[in-house]
Amino acid sequence: MTVASGPTPRLLTAGQLFLDLVFAELDAAPRLGEEHWTPAFGWGPGGIANYAIAASRLGVPTVLCADAGTDALSRLVRDRLRDEGIFDGIRERADWSLPVTAAMNYGGDRALVTGGRPAAALASLLESAPLTPVAALHLDDSVSEWVRARAAQGTKIFADIGWDADEQWNPSALDVLDGCHAFLPNEAEARAYTRTDDARSAARALADRVPLAVVTRGGHGAIAVDSAAGEEVEVDAVAIDFVDATGAGDVFGGALAAAELTAWSLRERVEFAALVAAITVSRPGGAAAAPRLDELLPWLDSHPAAADPARFAFLRAALHDGASPFAASAASRTASSSRPTRIKE
């Protein structure tokens, strides 16, 4: 691992890395033989990098652990990550090239096509990963022992297990969450895995497995259940002009993992993540469009219809005179990383 000079990483991110090419504001999907142009285009590191970029831009020292090749596109992505100030925990492989994803945004959502092969299992990559207070991972079956060991050392692990390509949604796939602090599926994933009919029921069911279950609902906001504290919150989406949904859930997750380092309440942490994700989807490029910490208040000031001013009063207080909420200790806010307590109906 390359260790740059500077602050010690406080957030570890690890998983599948991509190069994302994002085409936004398309009227429809191209038909065979057609070529569509759009000026709303962006590119940048994708996959687990979405978490890392979102958190780093918010001022959280972040390390990214992933496989990359020796090809030109891998070098391009690593250069971009260094430009973002992200610690380089990349394992270079001469026998593998970085996958490339084309994301096409139309009809209020996006379609993805990826060229390449998935990276190797994550466990060996994490053997030399630094110990951090918080981690965000693309989980696979290889990391169960690592997750439990890090949780025992105090790391709060935010988990993503991704879309089930076979669409079987076997609940046993959630066994990899053992030891994780939080699970952040979207509503479709959450309902499919839990065999429930609505996001709230799904979040409550998932909170039996992890202390914090957060179900994202796109333009309908998010529902969070903290079974360790016995707390449940629902937040609305921030009103925006939608442009590009690429990486929105990952950016939300990166912001929420970063917010775990603050002393904010559960509602404030989820509201913060919702704001960061909303700003991101209001412009093209996926995580390459994620806001920096000093952009948040100016953005709210220039978009008065986006949210009730009282909603983000906590953020104005936290950023007063250029302060960073991530420098504050969150020691007063404790949560078990195992044995969640069931929320009563």
Side-chain angles (χ1 to χ4, degrees), residues 187 215-223 234-238 252 270 274 311:
E187 182 174 1
V215 176
T216 57
R217 307 181 65 215
H220 298 288
I223 295 174
E234 181 173 358
V235 304
D236 294 329
V238 176
F252 178 96
V270 179
R311 180 174 176 181

Side-chain angles (χ1 to χ4, degrees), residues 28-344:
R31 294 180 295 182
L32 290 176
E34 289 185 341
E35 178 182 8
H36 289 197
W37 280 73
T38 176
F41 170 77
W43 70 273
I48 195 60
N50 294 331
Y51 285 81
I53 290 171
S56 184
R57 289 188 176 186
L58 295 170
V60 176
T62 300
V63 60
L64 185 146
C65 296
D67 280 334
T70 57
D71 56 292
L73 295 181
S74 291
R75 293 194 297 273
L76 182 68
V77 165
R78 292 181 76 173
D79 286 344
R80 185 70 172 263
L81 291 170
R82 281 191 284 268
D83 289 344
E84 294 286 349
I86 295 168
F87 289 81
D88 188 342
I90 287 177
R91 176 173 62 186
E92 191 173 273
R93 295 176 52 190
D95 63 340
W96 184 78
S97 297
L98 196 70
V100 177
T101 295
M104 294 171 286
N105 287 261
Y106 56 89
D109 207 336
R110 79 278 186 269
L112 308 175
V113 177
T114 297
R117 294 179 291 118
L122 198 55
S124 60
L125 180 66
L126 291 172
E127 290 174 357
S128 61
L131 181 65
T132 55
V134 181
L137 268 63
H138 288 163
L139 292 187
D140 61 37
D141 292 336
S142 73
V143 299
S144 296
E145 185 176 341
W146 186 93
V147 166
R148 288 191 291 268
R150 285 300 173 99
Q153 292 176 282
T155 299
K156 292 183 176 180
I157 297 168
F158 285 65
D160 181 359
I161 60 176
W163 184 262
D164 182 355
D166 297 327
E167 297 193 42
Q168 297 300 306
W169 307 106
N170 190 333
S172 66
L174 302 180
D175 292 346
V176 296
L177 296 173
D178 184 29
C180 292
H181 173 71
F183 181 39
L184 313 174
N186 63 38
E187 182 174 1
E189 295 165 342
R191 290 174 56 188
Y193 275 124
T194 59
R195 298 344 191 226
T196 53
D197 295 327
D198 62 88
R200 185 177 298 278
S201 297
R204 289 172 174 173
L206 292 170
D208 284 337
R209 290 183 175 266
V210 288
L212 178 62
V214 183
V215 176
T216 57
R217 307 181 65 215
H220 298 288
I223 295 174
V225 177
D226 184 337
S227 54
E231 185 178 2
E232 182 175 305
V233 302
E234 181 173 358
V235 304
D236 294 329
V238 176
I240 49 93
D241 291 326
F242 168 87
V243 172
D244 174 16
T246 308
D250 291 345
V251 169
F252 178 96
L256 189 67
E260 191 67 31
L261 296 166
T262 73
W264 290 335
S265 68
L266 175 62
R267 176 173 294 279
E268 290 167 344
R269 300 195 311 273
V270 179
E271 293 274 30
F272 174 76
L275 173 63
V276 174
I279 295 174
T280 303
V281 302
S282 71
R283 42 205 197 190
R292 301 189 183 279
L293 190 64
D294 60 6
E295 289 184 70
L296 301 184
L297 296 186
W299 189 91
L300 285 170
D301 290 340
S302 62
H303 297 78
D308 184 332
R311 180 174 176 181
F312 292 103
F314 75 93
L315 185 60
R316 291 188 182 279
L319 300 182
H320 180 66
D321 291 335
S324 170
F326 306 107
S329 171
S332 61
R333 183 169 47 76
T334 59
S336 170
S337 59
S338 62
R339 299 187 181 278
T341 301
R342 184 74 172 107
I343 296 285
K344 290 186 171 56

